[in-house]
Amino acid sequence: MPRSERSPLLLAGLLATAGIAHLAVPRPYDATIPRALPGPPRAWTYGSGVAELALAAGLVAPRTRKAAALATAAFFVGVFPANVKMAVDRRHRPAPVKAAAIARLPLQAPLVLWARNVARRADRAAAAGGAIRTVSTMKGQP
């Protein structure tokens, strides 16, 4: 399988893994929810886990891949404040814990770009598929 075909599946795997973790072990994620958000942190943790699973499912299906990839990019931007909160909350922790929290901040940008790239490739694949269908229809083939 070419790398470009694996990319959406790898992104879906990352999201599915994160979604399952949010649902199976929510407590560490609850602490990252910004206090400014309404409602209990656990609801946001579960909601983000469900969103990650839905995005993963959307990325797997070629028909929904572009929309899911764009939504994934937006999701990664939307959860950035939680990563900032985690880095701020862990600034007085031991160096490895603090470093891991800080390292997550710049990693958000490549995730957004990855999702955007998946959307772009899905758009190109859909356009190419449409062109193939148009040519075959012109030749009298279904």
Side-chain angles (χ1 to χ4, degrees):
M1 178 182 293
R3 186 178 181 178
S4 63
E5 290 178 26
R6 284 193 314 259
S7 184
L9 302 179
L10 292 171
L11 183 56
L14 174 81
L15 284 163
T17 300
I20 291 167
H22 278 81
L23 298 174
V25 188
R27 191 169 190 204
Y29 300 101
D30 292 346
T32 68
I33 304 300
R35 288 177 188 82
L37 292 174
R42 182 64 50 94
W44 288 97
T45 298
Y46 284 153
S48 64
V50 169
E52 287 163 329
L53 291 173
L55 292 168
L59 288 168
V60 171
R63 183 174 242 167
T64 57
R65 184 167 293 152
K66 179 183 177 187
L70 292 172
T72 297
F75 177 82
F76 287 145
V77 170
V79 298
F80 186 71
N83 292 341
V84 171
K85 182 180 183 308
M86 183 188 325
V88 169
D89 289 350
R90 294 181 180 176
R91 68 188 180 279
H92 300 298
R93 304 283 292 276
V97 174
K98 181 166 87 173
I102 291 170
R104 287 184 65 150
L105 297 175
L107 289 177
Q108 211 69 19
L111 290 172
V112 171
L113 295 174
W114 184 9
R116 250 189 47 201
N117 189 40
V118 168
R120 192 173 300 126
R121 287 182 187 269
D123 200 26
R124 280 191 226 135
I132 291 168
R133 281 191 295 276
T134 302
V135 170
S136 64
T137 304
M138 289 172 51
K139 292 182 178 181
Q141 298 173 2

